[in-house]
Amino acid sequence: MRGRALLAVAVALVVLAVALTRLSANQYYYFAAYVIFQYVVLATAWNILGGYTGYVNFGSAGFFALGAYTAAILIKAFPVPFPVLLLAAGTVGGLLGLSLGYLTLRLRGVFFSIATLALAVVLQTLIVNWEYAGGSRGIYTMRPATVLFFDNYVEFLFVVMLILALGALATARWIEHSRLGRGLAAIRDNEEAAECMGVPTLRLKLVAATVSGALMGIAGAPFPYYVTYMEPASTFNLDYAVNSLAMPMIGGATTWVGPLLGAVLLGTAQQIATVTISSALNLLIVGVVLVAFVILAPDGIIGLVRRRRGGRHA
Amino acid sequence: MFSFHLLLNVIVAGILLGGFYAAVSLGITLAFGLLNVVNIAHPAFVILGSYAAFVVNSRFGLDPILAGLLFMPVFFLLGIGVYRIYYASFEKRAEESLRGLVFFFGIIFIIEVSLSLQYGVDYRSVHAAYVGDSFRLGPIELAFRLAIPCAMALVLTLALHLFLSRTFYGRAVKAVSQDHLALRLMGADPVRIKGLAFGIAIATASLAGALLIMIGPVEPSIGREYIGRVFAIAVLGGMGSIGGTLVAALILGVLESLTSTFYGPSWALAVSFGILLLVLAVRPSGLVGRAG
């Protein structure tokens, strides 16, 4: 699994995207694929801190919503071009991630996770009480009438999210194979030992938290245009938090392939379940599958595959 | 206009609310503070308790508090069952920190979604003759809806304190939190004792849930609001101290009551989470806690 795997994934996703645009005029497929790609970004971002470093972030929804609200407020305030939204949401998310990174200085393990949960709620309260951002009533965003090269705006957003997903995967893969990734793995296995061996643990954790936060923020940036109306309760929804950690845990949290696998499988299953059964039931499925996986297959699907291969060799 | 009369009533309401918070947090103090089991799903079990009381109350007209007490043995067994799974899957393999946390996170979802599938996402409430009444104590007005849960919470706190300090099993629970290995060497089975203690922690959720639905209407996802509160209280209370839990819960109740009256209810939730962040960042050992 070198660069070829990533290339294969990129080709597969692009082919899937083109196939969708050619095969069907049904807008629903764009919406569904957008949501799945969005989860690929969120799951990959979560995994950079959670999977590589072992710090479980329950506040993904907060980062995502912060990115979405940054974009929505910018759109409301100035007529900004689209890339600026991504940049701004990434910066804000990254800064929040950085401050979360400093929190790891004092808080290890569960205390860190509880703090991230608290962080998301505090952010939500701030938005609810912020009149300009729409408060609890929510905020409307108008889509621009036209975009270059695209027939309609949903197609454009879909391509944007596809590119973001590929970007996030490439980032994760790069981190994994760099010195940074090895340092993070050392922190995950034993932080004290890593520090004693001269791994600059704080700096690495700060980088991981910042990159993770920035990616989650960026994932939220196109959200105002996607939904056109958002309010705090649904934007800060805990579903984002549970999905962005369930997907890597189910796929396998130690490689960049795991979150991708989890996001595509779980995301597709949820889209199908939402249409055919009910949206409440699809969350129940996520919960049950998540619990089953952490109990029975702690290393996710990747771990299951590896164990089977290892068994054959032994 | 500032009024001393209002302030007094707000503080009393806060104390009553805080007493109730203690009931919700006791289970966390037990599980997290003493057993080191990070049961972030505790508030979800409390909501389960609320719905148990709601079902029995609406179908048979049973008093909600009585219902809460009646369900305690069921929750006790449920707690033992959950702990068995937790122990076999995570604790035995020393993988409890990360995956155990995710396990409980998944349980929150399972409970919440099951309840909303069964009963919908509407707010549910219980009926009892005394719920709407109140009585006066000089200038202070006490609503039964808050006063009774607070009184019950104090009884529960006292009972748990007596259990931990006076009984054989209670002391064993404290022992298991202090030295796992020594207890095993003494011939006691730490897993059985931890299972028992975790069962008691979940049993408190049954009563706390009945009190919760008495104070106000409940819907399945309301438990999320309590995650921050209960951990703020458990950490502030010094992790594993029953008395500390009560003091921390009262402080939080008064602060929230003041905030929601003078700044608006939408800020009240941020108080507990803000305090939690602050406590975690500045003094993770809590007000009266052991160091480290």
Side-chain angles (χ1 to χ4, degrees), chain A residues 106 110 117-118 125 129 280 298, chain B residues 38 99 101 113 227 266 273 280-281:
Chain A
R106 296 193 63 105
V110 293
L117 204 60
T125 312
N129 287 289
Chain B
V38 196
R99 299 209 170 89
L101 214 54
V113 179
I227 298 178
S266 57
F273 283 88
L280 285 177

Side-chain angles (χ1 to χ4, degrees), chain B residues 16-198:
Chain B
L16 296 182
L17 192 66
F20 159 70
Y21 285 168
V24 183
S25 312
L26 284 174
I28 288 287
T29 296
L30 252 181
F32 183 38
L34 287 176
L35 307 177
N36 209 12
V37 177
V38 196
N39 180 14
I40 51 170
H42 189 75
F45 284 107
V46 172
I47 304 302
L48 200 63
S50 293
Y51 273 83
F54 159 73
V55 169
V56 176
N57 178 264
S58 61
R59 197 158 298 168
F60 307 109
L62 199 67
D63 183 83
I65 288 179
L66 204 60
L69 290 170
L70 274 178
F71 272 107
M72 282 180 99
V74 181
F75 274 64
F76 175 71
L77 293 177
L78 180 69
I80 289 184
V82 169
Y83 180 75
R84 289 278 148 166
I85 298 174
Y86 175 80
Y87 172 75
S89 315
F90 310 106
E91 219 168 49
K92 204 160 77 181
R93 299 189 223 153
E95 284 175 348
E96 61 256 43
S97 52
L98 201 158
R99 299 209 170 89
L101 214 54
V102 177
F103 167 74
F104 284 119
F105 204 62
I107 288 190
I108 295 182
F109 255 70
I110 294 176
I111 292 179
E112 217 175 78
V113 179
S114 305
L115 285 176
S116 54
L117 280 175
Q118 188 67 33
Y119 301 105
V121 289
D122 305 328
Y123 279 91
R124 304 288 177 179
S125 52
V126 288
H127 304 284
Y130 49 83
V131 164
D133 289 342
S134 63
F135 63 97
R136 288 194 150 273
L137 254 180
I140 303 161
E141 183 155 352
L142 290 163
F144 278 114
R145 167 181 85 76
L146 278 172
I148 292 177
C150 179
M152 288 306 296
L154 292 179
V155 171
L156 186 67
T157 309
L158 188 67
L160 207 58
H161 172 73
L162 289 177
F163 167 75
L164 284 175
S165 57
R166 297 285 161 83
T167 66
F168 173 77
Y169 276 110
R171 287 184 190 146
V173 171
K174 280 191 159 172
V176 88
S177 78
Q178 282 165 7
D179 199 332
H180 220 263
L181 188 65
L183 195 73
R184 183 167 285 163
L185 293 175
M186 300 291 286
D189 179 3
V191 177
R192 205 171 69 87
I193 291 166
K194 285 183 88 171
L196 181 93
F198 194 77

Side-chain angles (χ1 to χ4, degrees), chain A residues 32 65 68 94 108 113 123 151 160 219 262 274 283 304 309:
Chain A
R108 300 258 159 102
S113 303
L123 283 176
D151 297 339
V160 166
T274 307
L283 284 175
L304 284 181
R309 272 194 202 156

